[in-house]
Amino acid sequence: MKHVPGDFVRSRKYGQRGSALLTVLILSTVMCTVLAGLITYVSQSAKLERRSSLRTEALYAGEYAAEQAYSALYTLVSQDSTALPDIAETTTATNLSTAPTDVFPASEGYAWKAFLTVPLENNEVVARHSGFNPAKGSYKFLSVVEFERTVPTMAEPVAVQLQREWSYVLTPLFQYAIFYDKDMELFPGARFVVGGRVHSNGRIYTGTSASITFTDYVSNVDGLVNEYHPLDPRAPGSPGSNISYNKGEPISTTREDPPGAINQDTSDGNNNNDGPRELIEIPDYLHSDANAETRGYNKAGLKILRTGTGHDFLTADGTRIPSADPLAGVLQLLVSTGTMVDFRESATIPTTDVDITRVTAAYSAGGLPRNIPNSNRWPNNSSVPAALKNQPIPEELRGKSFWNGILYVADSGTSRAGVKLLNGSRLPDGTQSDSPQAGLTIISQNPVYVVGDYNTGGSPPVNSGTDLSAANAVAGYTVQPAAIMADAVTVVSANWVSGNYNAVSNYNARDASNTTINAALISGIVASNGSAYSGGVENYIRLQEDWSGKRLTYYGSIINLYESRQATAPWQNTGIYYNAPARNWHFDVNFLDPDKLPPGSPILRSLKRGQWAQLR
């Protein structure tokens, strides 16, 4: 065949076009494959991100459920201070019927599988805790939460299962050297050493131009700063920071709830649940009382209430002892009426004067038995005071619980009243077989005034000379477990009575003498309020004499749970109604032994979050 050049050119052009078309087709195929892979990748990635997002949402739901379990358990343990909830109670409080389905409902794809709380002991579920001690210990519970979350765009539901441990911790309040339920302030003018643990449920404010040394652990809920409280009129100022923490820097922790704090509600019209001050208040019998078991008034085996110019005496359950009964005659010798000029308050306070020497003597003579005999008459022997021998016992008093080392004293008829403690160097020692409680706890909703040495056996060696480490009790006397709980606590020296200081208006003429107090204290304060400083821990014990060159030795535990409602005048600087002493203050390490705590010691209760684990 004869070759035609034009046909060759035309054929070559067609070949080039076919090759280009093939290339385009190949590239298109590759691009489609890449694009499909990219789309698949993006889709899978989106699904993974969506699933991850759903899992995050589910974990939030699980945490929410765990916190609801915490709230339910908190309510359970707060209802009874003498026992712990068992497995029937905990599983009733947290079960599928109480799961948070109102917040995470089935309409949003939530299917709840488990929601329960159980007692835990030695890492095993138990029906109830064994060996429960309502005064001390740590008791564990475990909450389990399990559910699935399903959404239309997901082929499989997101499953979540988690568990959380809770520790219910009971701690004797007096095992703290210093405990404040709210903010704590400490600004001493001289070197100040704090032995023992310190805790504030609020913030701790510290500072000094001298020094502060904390020898034990310090904890708080809202932090610690070396500056003045915002409501301290000295703020901002320059408080200084010469402060040492021997056990490491202070730590932030959870609340430690004193009696009255868990059920606190000031908005419901019930006067019996208004906070930790219920510890010292007389209950209002017109309302229910969630604090009945921890209230000091109810705990007291003997209650003395001032009525006008006389006193009523009541047994542990509130039964009034007839005024003509011989037992009332014995008890009447323990108290008298008096007055106390409170120069901080600028007021003369009517007082019930308790002669502690006579209380101790009545105890030693058998006049304060643990139970009033369940018989027609008192014993006709030396086991009781002469005034009670063979005397008839009214039917309503027979077998009643009586002396338990807790004495409640108050004037319930006026807001301006107080209690004066006289001759308090010796306390009941627990040697009476029918009344084995050692020590003495005084409780009052009124201010308490302590006159002279307390629980020392006499004038102790530390009251003489310059040896601050000298004994805080006389030889042969055993310091007894003791506490004073009141609206406010003021200490005056023995000179107050002998010098008739009620009539001495110039504080410079009210010279104090060295004094030693061995007792835990729960007292109100007047908080910093913008116009006055609270006085801080250093002025927690109120004074109103010239203590210049004198020493106040204190062994105990300093506790503030509430503000004063009766002794409400603010603290004022030294040189107005008092001058400060040399403060020789110590934590009483005896309180670390539960067997040496004062009668009726309050207990701190806290429910702490423990280990958390996600199982699915």
Side-chain angles (χ1 to χ4, degrees):
M1 180 181 292
K2 186 177 180 179
H3 178 70
V4 180
D7 291 339
F8 172 78
V9 171
R10 189 164 51 248
S11 174
R12 191 175 64 177
K13 286 181 179 179
Y14 290 149
Q16 289 175 339
R17 289 176 182 175
S19 176
L21 181 60
L22 179 61
T23 301
V24 170
L25 288 173
I26 292 172
L27 287 176
S28 298
T29 301
V30 170
M31 289 298 294
C32 288
T33 301
V34 170
L35 183 59
L38 182 60
I39 292 172
T40 300
Y41 172 78
V42 171
S43 176
Q44 289 176 344
S45 180
K47 288 179 180 179
L48 288 174
E49 288 184 9
R50 175 56 176 154
R51 191 171 186 83
S52 177
S53 177
L54 284 174
R55 176 161 288 278
T56 300
E57 291 178 12
L59 285 177
Y60 288 150
E63 277 292 296
Y64 183 94
E67 287 302 307
Q68 182 168 309
Y70 170 89
S71 178
L73 181 59
Y74 190 88
T75 299
L76 280 178
V77 296
S78 70
Q79 291 173 345
D80 191 347
S81 62
T82 62
L84 290 177
D86 59 24
I87 194 168
E89 294 170 310
T90 58
T91 53
T92 297
T94 57
N95 56 41
L96 289 180
S97 66
T98 58
T101 54
D102 56 333
V103 181
F104 304 100
S107 60
E108 294 184 9
Y110 289 92
W112 293 86
K113 307 293 185 180
F115 181 61
L116 75 159
T117 301
V118 293
L120 199 66
E121 198 167 81
N122 299 321
N123 293 321
E124 294 184 1
V125 176
V126 294
R128 64 172 63 247
H129 289 98
S130 60
F132 175 64
N133 182 345
K136 191 175 179 66
S138 180
Y139 306 91
K140 292 186 179 298
F141 295 86
L142 178 70
S143 289
V144 177
V145 174
E146 182 179 3
F147 63 91
E148 291 181 346
R149 174 80 190 282
T150 303
V151 296
T153 58
M154 303 298 297
E156 296 181 358
V158 172
V160 170
Q161 184 184 73
L162 59 85
Q163 63 183 33
R164 185 100 191 218
E165 283 188 1
W166 317 106
S167 291
Y168 180 52
V169 182
L170 302 169
T171 306
L173 183 54
F174 295 143
Q175 290 190 348
Y176 282 93
I178 302 173
F179 182 98
Y180 271 55
D181 192 40
K182 295 184 179 178
D183 291 342
M184 168 187 150
E185 300 168 275
L186 177 60
F187 295 89
R191 180 174 179 267
F192 200 88
V193 178
V194 182
R197 291 183 296 165
V198 175
H199 177 79
S200 167
N201 276 337
R203 177 171 290 188
I204 298 178
Y205 296 86
T206 59
T208 177
S209 57
S211 67
I212 304 174
T213 299
F214 293 95
T215 67
D216 212 325
Y217 298 104
V218 177
S219 58
N220 58 76
V221 174
D222 291 334
L224 182 148
V225 291
N226 299 128
E227 61 185 42
Y228 295 119
H229 192 286
L231 295 179
D232 184 338
R234 301 172 298 177
S238 301
S241 57
N242 189 12
I243 303 172
S244 301
Y245 302 99
N246 291 357
K247 289 289 183 71
E249 290 297 310
I251 61 173
S252 293
T253 184
T254 54
R255 274 188 59 85
E256 303 282 352
D257 286 316
I262 292 179
N263 300 299
Q264 182 172 351
D265 186 349
T266 58
S267 64
D268 62 356
N270 186 338
N271 296 323
N272 290 327
N273 62 358
D274 292 343
R277 189 185 164 86
E278 300 297 340
L279 182 66
I280 64 169
E281 293 282 352
I282 298 174
D284 181 350
Y285 291 109
L286 297 178
H287 296 93
S288 61
D289 188 4
N291 295 300
E293 292 179 350
T294 59
R295 187 180 297 276
Y297 178 88
N298 293 341
K299 284 186 174 182
L302 172 59
K303 316 172 210 302
I304 302 178
L305 302 181
R306 180 168 176 170
T307 56
T309 58
H311 296 92
D312 281 344
F313 304 95
L314 293 80
T315 63
D317 68 352
T319 300
R320 181 178 177 274
I321 300 171
S323 59
D325 187 77
L327 180 57
V330 170
L331 299 175
Q332 189 62 59
L333 297 176
L334 312 183
V335 294
S336 59
T337 57
T339 59
M340 185 73 178
V341 176
D342 190 321
F343 289 96
R344 172 169 166 170
E345 297 293 315
S346 299
T348 298
I349 309 297
T351 58
T352 292
D353 294 354
V354 182
D355 190 326
I356 303 298
T357 295
R358 293 187 177 185
V359 172
T360 303
Y363 170 83
S364 299
L368 298 175
R370 177 169 49 184
N371 297 295
I372 296 174
N374 190 16
S375 58
N376 294 335
R377 293 181 177 274
W378 289 88
N380 189 20
N381 55 45
S382 60
S383 66
V384 296
L388 295 180
K389 285 183 181 180
N390 204 34
Q391 293 298 310
I393 301 176
E395 185 175 356
E396 67 269 23
L397 297 181
R398 295 172 192 168
K400 292 289 185 181
S401 297
F402 192 46
W403 184 256
N404 59 3
I406 308 173
L407 175 61
Y408 188 93
V409 188
D411 186 329
S412 59
T414 175
S415 60
R416 272 293 190 183
V419 176
K420 191 190 306 170
L421 305 182
L422 301 167
N423 306 315
S425 63
R426 291 180 175 269
L427 306 184
D429 58 10
T431 57
Q432 286 292 315
S433 59
D434 63 345
S435 192
Q437 178 62 61
L440 177 64
T441 293
I442 301 286
I443 306 176
S444 180
Q445 65 183 13
N446 307 131
V448 168
Y449 302 88
V450 185
V451 181
D453 294 320
Y454 194 83
N455 194 20
T456 58
S459 181
V462 74
N463 280 5
S464 303
T466 59
D467 185 1
L468 299 182
S469 63
N472 59 321
V474 301
Y477 177 77
T478 300
V479 174
Q480 301 299 325
I484 300 169
M485 312 178 194
D487 178 77
V489 175
T490 299
V491 170
V492 297
S493 72
N495 289 356
W496 190 276
V497 173
S498 61
N500 190 27
Y501 285 170
N502 268 0
V504 180
S505 59
N506 185 347
Y507 83 93
N508 282 318
R510 300 196 298 270
D511 292 326
S513 56
N514 290 340
T515 301
T516 298
I517 306 294
N518 296 318
L521 301 178
I522 297 180
S523 174
I525 64 168
V526 179
S528 295
N529 56 17
S531 59
Y533 170 47
S534 69
V537 176
E538 66 274 21
N539 291 293
Y540 170 92
I541 298 176
R542 303 186 185 196
L543 306 169
Q544 49 181 25
E545 294 170 282
D546 185 355
W547 289 83
S548 302
K550 301 300 190 302
R551 181 165 60 250
L552 175 60
T553 299
Y554 174 71
Y555 280 80
S557 171
I558 290 175
I559 311 296
N560 173 242
L561 306 180
Y562 44 80
E563 293 192 34
S564 300
R565 289 184 183 172
Q566 297 183 22
T568 56
W571 173 81
Q572 299 178 62
N573 285 321
T574 57
I576 298 177
Y577 57 86
Y578 83 107
N579 266 334
R583 295 181 178 91
N584 182 28
W585 291 10
H586 307 268
F587 169 62
D588 190 343
V589 296
N590 286 316
F591 294 157
L592 296 177
D593 182 347
D595 293 331
K596 295 181 179 179
L597 288 168
S601 291
I603 304 300
L604 293 166
R605 297 188 282 169
S606 61
L607 187 61
K608 298 179 182 294
R609 292 165 176 82
Q611 294 182 341
W612 179 93
Q614 181 182 346
L615 305 181
R616 291 182 65 186

